[in-house]
Amino acid sequence: MKSINTILIVDDDVGARNILEALLAREGHRLEFAVCGREALEKVQHLTPSLVLLDVMMPEMDGFEVCRQLRAMPRLAEVPIIIITALDDKESRLEGIHAGADDFLSKPFDREELRARVRTILRLNRYRRLHAEREKFEWVIQHANNGYVIINQDDDVLYANSHARLYLNL
């Protein structure tokens, strides 16, 4: 079963939100929207996005501050953030990185590049989740009181936890 990624798009410009929606909706993602930093921070309390696409230049609270506040939330500190902004100077890119952004795209952006970066980040997320789940599984199996063995069709032992190795004299 394919999991659906949730992407939170934060931009005060309705046109920019519509463009991102048109580009990403066909990829099968669940899209959520916030029109300002405050709304984004409220939404993430009930939503754990797979990715945040974040504009910088917004009224009240800029995207850099939203990024810093997201990184300060333990439950959301590792959510990937791509800053998408009209700012393209070195200082802005560095500020985005220091604020905790994982990637930085300048407007106007290339549509295929945006899709490729989103796919890459979501693939890395999937890898990190699988890796974390595998580590948990291996810890549970290794600390179980029972012996567990995985064999292939040729009866070769592919894996045996410590109890299985003891019981089977491996």
Side-chain angles (χ1 to χ4, degrees), residues 9 46 73 84 94 98 103 109:
I9 297 170
H46 311 286
M73 297 176 178
I84 302 176
L94 286 173
H98 291 306
D103 205 349
F109 53 82

Side-chain angles (χ1 to χ4, degrees), residues 132-144 159 161:
E133 291 302 315
R134 182 176 294 132
E135 283 182 343
K136 286 186 228 173
F137 173 78
E138 288 175 0
W139 186 92
V140 167
I141 294 300
Q142 203 54 265
H143 292 84
Y159 173 84
N161 71 351

